[in-house]
Amino acid sequence: MVARIGSLVKAGVLNFQRKPKEISASVLQLIQHEKQVNDQVAAQKSPTFANTITPLARLENNDGAESAIITFLQNVSTDKNVRDASSEAELKLRSFRMESLMREDVYTSVKAVLDNKHDLSTLDPEDRMLVKKMEVQYRRNGLGLSADKRKQLGEIKRRLIELGVEFSRNINEKDGVILFTRQELDGLPDSYFCDRATQIEEAVEKYIVTTKYPDIVPVMQMAMSGETRRRLQAVEETRCPENIALLQEAIKLRLEAARLLGYQTHAEFVLEENMAKGPEHIMKFEDDLRERLEPLATSEIKEIESLKMKDKEAAGESYKGLFSWDYRYYSNMVKERKHNVSEEEVKQYFPVDKVMRGVLDICQDVLGLKFLKISNPPVWHNEVEMYEVWEANEDEFVGHFYLDLYPRNGKYNHACVNPIRTGYEREDGSREYPAAVMLANFPKPTSTTPALLTHDDVLTLLHEFGHIFHLLCTKTRWSYFGLDSVQMDFIEAPSQMLENWGWEPSVLKKFAIHHKTGEPIPEELVARLIASRNEGAGLFNLRQLFFGLFDMAIHNTRDANIDIPTLYRNLREKITRFANDNQDACGAATFGHMMGGYDAGYYGYLFAKVFSADMYESRFVKDGINNQRTGLDYRNEILRPGGSRDAMISLKQFLGREPNSKAFLKSIGLTNVSST
């Protein structure tokens, strides 16, 4: 249930209304305060947990939200000056914190606490983990190297921060735009053109199409003209050409940094802290999965080839093969023809307000939470919604979340969750409550219809709510163990698991309501939709594998002299089975994950699916998808610890055994294979 209330009830109100000068002043204050704390820790004559670790951890507790807000605004503000100030703030803060983590005097104090085995043994598990994680963090930033090498590493890391900020800024700021006639967009439904801006070019009225998700995805799925799809894909893959040089430099610098720290590759450095522990494990996982998927993909390719051949024959044109811009179009056509599932038909039953209520009802049932929508919230844009989260059966506050769901100029152009404040225990024993933001780019309402979601959009919404509730349900003493500290190859598991509710007939019937008639979604349409679930699973998962293999190709290498566009095109063609015919394009230029924290980590999306499928099948399907006891176990064992313990321990506690891949292979249509 969602009720409206008129005012904020709990937790400190976060201020997102910042001017550029205020952002700049805040950065200086944060840096000054952090330097002061670091100096105090460095000056300790007899370092202990209380005088060394506690001040550093409380620094993150107390300053984390302010730091997150001023760096977050670059992704959402409508004022370019604010976005620029926010980007500059991120650059300054990350550079300063990198330098702080390379301070030998601070590390000496931290290491002394770790080396005091007697005192360490008296700490509780979370505090003990905090000491160990802090020491590792300093060591992985070069403490232990000679002064010269540490200086060199610092220069590399500083430049990597600059490259990452610039790469992301280019993606956010540089939307591609192209003009098409109505004929060139033949195949798109009338709703696509409602309220769409037009422009006269050479005396012909043309529609303005951008590379934002609500524009590009329908065209790639439904535009009958292959030339239209090719041109739009080319615009998307050439809108940030300067990013190729940035990524190329980053690859070289990451390898240099890894070698300075004693690793052979950047991937080896990154994976040391993950569940996978090493590149060999990941390459085996990806190669094995590819081998399993190939036969399935081959049969799917034959179906798609047959459809395209018929199209070409009807048009009197020769068949020249399948191209990357054909993938979405013909995959969608197969889905429609085999299962009679049309995205246009399905989305009529998914108006955003009904879907939102349904998703929150799921989370209430499964996680034991309730939600209160804030009226007139203090936010950064009038489209943003804010919610309070409470325990469903107790008068206990949990936290806040914000929803910023629609595209606009200068905004982050994918879907993600930004942790703004991680919950922690204050010095007086009371709690500070967490807050998170969901950013998405769903289709906006038009003059004739409310905002309508495709079923894929519904799954995206569920996925991102999985991250939201992971953050909100984490309950640790230190904010250090929030969402950002969860192992990279597990962090997607809770969000992927929540997607499963979007395929349950009993769940869909509750909130899939026709926006005009108010009628629930017909059972036979639900049956058709579910029957189509694994249609194209071979090609879809090969596409996911391609991104992971590209990531490994550029990061699990001892030679950073890589021709990125050529590697990207050739590997995409080899893995996905669709040809490339545009030598100027390179999707790596807008592959934000490679500069946004997923470097040597993209494999985690498929790797984590092993765990998410196992958790869902082994506990929720077995016990009942709305079983509150199972939901409570899930909160306590998977969500509550955050990053305060190894994810494998959490999985074993929840499953009662070691995880396996049986449910994962079944979930992607590979039912006649042995699990591992």
Side-chain angles (χ1 to χ4, degrees):
M1 298 293 291
V2 180
R4 292 181 179 273
I5 62 175
S7 60
L8 299 169
V9 177
K10 279 281 188 179
V13 177
L14 298 172
N15 175 22
F16 294 96
Q17 298 298 324
R18 306 297 181 92
K19 297 176 181 177
K21 288 184 178 180
E22 293 172 332
I23 292 173
S24 299
S26 179
V27 171
L28 295 177
Q29 291 172 359
L30 286 168
I31 289 175
Q32 183 179 22
H33 182 220
E34 292 181 24
K35 185 178 184 306
Q36 182 181 33
V37 171
N38 276 275
D39 289 345
Q40 291 170 353
V41 167
Q44 293 299 331
K45 302 300 183 184
S46 300
T48 64
F49 184 88
N51 66 27
T52 296
I53 306 300
T54 295
L56 292 171
R58 281 184 179 155
L59 180 63
E60 190 161 342
N61 283 359
N62 299 329
D63 290 357
E66 177 65 11
S67 174
I69 289 171
I70 64 174
T71 56
F72 162 73
L73 289 171
Q74 65 187 291
N75 296 313
V76 296
S77 178
T78 56
D79 185 337
K80 189 174 186 307
N81 292 326
V82 170
R83 296 198 301 271
D84 289 345
S86 178
S87 292
E88 185 64 24
E90 180 182 6
L91 190 61
K92 289 180 179 179
L93 280 173
R94 289 180 62 188
S95 296
F96 172 76
R97 287 168 180 167
M98 177 272 295
E99 292 168 0
S100 296
L101 286 169
M102 299 182 80
R103 283 186 57 168
E104 190 170 13
D105 52 357
V106 177
Y107 176 64
T108 298
S109 294
V110 171
K111 185 70 163 56
V113 178
L114 179 70
D115 290 341
N116 188 334
K117 302 304 181 186
H118 176 269
D119 288 0
L120 193 67
S121 68
T122 66
L123 301 175
D124 67 25
E126 184 178 334
D127 286 352
R128 195 157 54 244
M129 175 70 85
L130 181 65
V131 177
K132 293 177 180 179
K133 288 287 187 181
M134 274 193 180
E135 190 276 334
V136 168
Q137 190 176 20
Y138 281 97
R139 185 158 33 86
R140 284 170 62 84
N141 275 276
L143 275 304
L145 297 179
S146 67
D148 287 345
K149 287 186 176 181
R150 196 160 62 247
K151 179 181 178 182
Q152 185 182 353
L153 182 65
E155 291 170 352
I156 290 172
K157 285 182 169 290
R158 192 174 298 106
R159 179 57 181 158
L160 282 169
I161 291 168
E162 294 171 355
L163 293 170
V165 170
E166 187 177 353
F167 191 98
S168 298
R169 182 193 294 137
N170 290 338
I171 292 177
N172 289 348
E173 298 285 348
K174 297 186 177 183
D175 286 321
V177 178
I178 188 171
L179 303 178
F180 290 117
T181 64
R182 184 66 175 82
Q183 183 178 1
E184 289 171 326
L185 294 171
D186 192 20
L188 276 295
D190 291 342
S191 60
Y192 186 80
F193 301 94
C194 185
D195 299 339
R196 182 165 297 280
T198 61
Q199 184 174 317
I200 302 298
E201 184 180 66
E202 297 179 354
V204 177
E205 183 182 43
K206 296 186 177 182
Y207 290 90
I208 298 173
V209 177
T210 74
T211 53
K212 293 184 184 299
Y213 272 25
D215 283 13
I216 193 172
V217 172
V219 173
M220 299 307 291
Q221 284 184 333
M222 291 182 275
M224 296 173 66
S225 168
E227 178 62 12
T228 294
R229 300 193 305 272
R230 185 196 69 78
R231 289 170 58 200
L232 181 55
Q233 179 175 295
V235 169
E236 163 62 15
E237 295 189 349
T238 58
R239 65 187 174 94
C240 300
E242 62 273 48
N243 275 1
I244 296 299
L246 301 181
L247 179 57
Q248 180 69 71
E249 186 179 353
I251 293 168
K252 291 181 178 179
L253 291 176
R254 286 167 178 163
L255 180 56
E256 286 182 35
R259 285 174 172 166
L260 282 171
L261 290 166
Y263 301 88
Q264 296 183 52
T265 70
H266 178 63
E268 186 179 301
F269 167 74
V270 171
L271 292 172
E272 183 181 56
E273 293 295 292
N274 288 0
M275 296 182 74
K277 303 305 180 190
E280 299 79 12
H281 188 180
I282 296 311
M283 297 309 298
K284 184 179 184 303
F285 169 77
E286 293 183 326
D287 288 343
D288 176 65
L289 184 56
R290 182 186 174 195
E291 184 178 342
R292 294 173 189 253
L293 289 168
E294 286 286 0
L296 186 60
T298 296
S299 65
E300 293 165 358
I301 284 284
K302 289 179 180 178
E303 286 186 278
I304 288 174
E305 277 187 320
S306 176
L307 290 174
K308 186 172 181 181
M309 285 178 180
K310 289 178 182 177
D311 281 352
K312 290 299 181 182
E313 184 180 354
E317 301 173 2
S318 60
Y319 174 74
K320 296 180 179 179
L322 292 174
F323 298 99
S324 53
W325 52 88
D326 291 327
Y327 167 68
R328 285 182 182 270
Y329 177 72
Y330 285 103
S331 294
N332 188 56
M333 184 183 291
V334 170
K335 184 177 175 181
E336 288 189 353
R337 294 190 180 186
K338 287 181 69 173
H339 303 285
N340 193 23
V341 173
S342 162
E343 289 285 9
E344 189 65 16
E345 177 188 11
V346 170
K347 76 178 186 180
Q348 307 305 315
Y349 293 92
F350 290 131
V352 165
D353 60 336
K354 295 293 193 297
V355 173
M356 189 63 62
R357 180 179 293 271
V359 170
L360 294 181
D361 283 347
I362 291 169
C363 296
Q364 176 172 307
D365 292 342
V366 176
L367 300 176
L369 301 171
K370 63 183 178 182
F371 311 92
L372 301 174
K373 185 176 181 180
I374 305 294
S375 60
N376 301 314
V379 292
W380 55 92
H381 192 273
N382 58 17
E383 292 177 341
V384 177
E385 297 179 350
M386 179 182 179
Y387 289 79
E388 284 189 350
V389 183
W390 294 74
E391 295 290 351
N393 301 315
E394 304 172 40
D395 186 25
E396 183 177 343
F397 186 68
V398 175
H400 288 121
F401 66 83
Y402 302 78
L403 303 176
D404 189 348
L405 301 181
Y406 305 111
R408 57 181 178 270
N409 291 335
K411 181 187 167 185
Y412 179 83
N413 58 8
H414 293 283
C416 72
V417 166
N418 289 84
I420 300 298
R421 181 170 58 207
T422 298
Y424 61 87
E425 189 177 290
R426 298 189 185 100
E427 293 181 45
D428 63 4
S430 64
R431 284 204 66 79
E432 180 60 277
Y433 299 100
V437 176
M438 182 194 299
L439 299 181
N441 283 271
F442 296 134
K444 287 185 173 185
T446 71
S447 57
T448 59
T449 62
L452 300 175
L453 303 182
T454 65
H455 186 252
D456 282 345
D457 291 335
V458 174
L459 298 180
T460 296
L461 190 67
L462 283 162
H463 179 102
E464 299 306 336
F465 264 119
H467 288 310
I468 290 275
F469 293 116
H470 197 174
L471 175 78
L472 295 185
C473 293
T474 292
K475 196 168 185 179
T476 57
R477 182 177 302 117
W478 307 107
S479 64
Y480 187 97
F481 291 121
L483 199 60
D484 288 340
S485 71
V486 176
Q487 286 160 295
M488 184 60 67
D489 43 7
F490 181 74
I491 198 169
E492 297 296 334
S495 50
Q496 290 169 339
M497 198 194 71
L498 199 57
E499 292 179 40
N500 287 287
W501 274 261
W503 292 103
E504 291 289 346
S506 61
V507 172
L508 291 172
K509 290 173 188 175
K510 289 181 180 179
F511 68 79
I513 307 294
H514 197 285
H515 71 97
K516 287 183 179 179
T517 67
E519 293 293 317
I521 191 169
E523 290 186 10
E524 55 89 19
L525 178 54
V526 172
R528 283 186 273 133
L529 182 65
I530 292 170
S532 73
R533 180 174 186 174
N534 280 326
E535 190 60 55
L539 290 172
F540 174 82
N541 286 291
L542 280 180
R543 186 170 179 270
Q544 284 295 93
L545 268 180
F546 153 66
F547 290 123
L549 288 167
F550 172 76
D551 180 18
M552 282 291 115
I554 62 176
H555 289 125
N556 189 37
T557 178
R558 301 181 191 185
D559 182 3
N561 294 311
I562 298 169
D563 181 343
I564 292 175
T566 299
L567 172 66
Y568 189 93
R569 286 193 298 268
N570 291 346
L571 195 60
R572 179 166 68 178
E573 185 168 325
K574 178 182 177 181
I575 304 299
T576 68
R577 314 274 290 276
F578 286 78
N580 297 284
D581 197 32
N582 187 342
Q583 298 304 307
D584 295 326
C586 185
T590 52
F591 192 5
H593 292 78
M594 294 301 92
M595 298 291 276
Y598 277 73
D599 45 293
Y602 196 89
Y603 75 90
Y605 280 99
L606 281 172
F607 197 80
K609 273 194 172 183
V610 173
F611 310 129
S612 67
D614 200 359
M615 289 190 292
Y616 185 69
E617 185 79 18
S618 302
R619 290 297 310 270
F620 286 100
V621 172
K622 179 182 176 182
D623 301 342
I625 60 171
N626 294 323
N627 187 299
Q628 293 185 354
R629 178 69 248 179
T630 305
L632 183 60
D633 286 349
Y634 178 70
R635 278 187 64 176
N636 287 336
E637 301 298 347
I638 300 296
L639 304 184
R640 185 185 181 104
S644 66
R645 71 182 184 190
D646 191 284
M648 185 57 74
I649 296 174
S650 296
L651 281 165
K652 289 179 182 178
Q653 289 290 105
F654 181 64
L655 294 170
R657 56 166 172 77
E658 293 266 358
N660 64 58
S661 62
K662 182 179 179 180
F664 165 65
L665 295 172
K666 176 185 173 183
S667 74
I668 61 174
L670 298 174
T671 54
N672 297 318
V673 291
S674 60
S675 64
T676 56

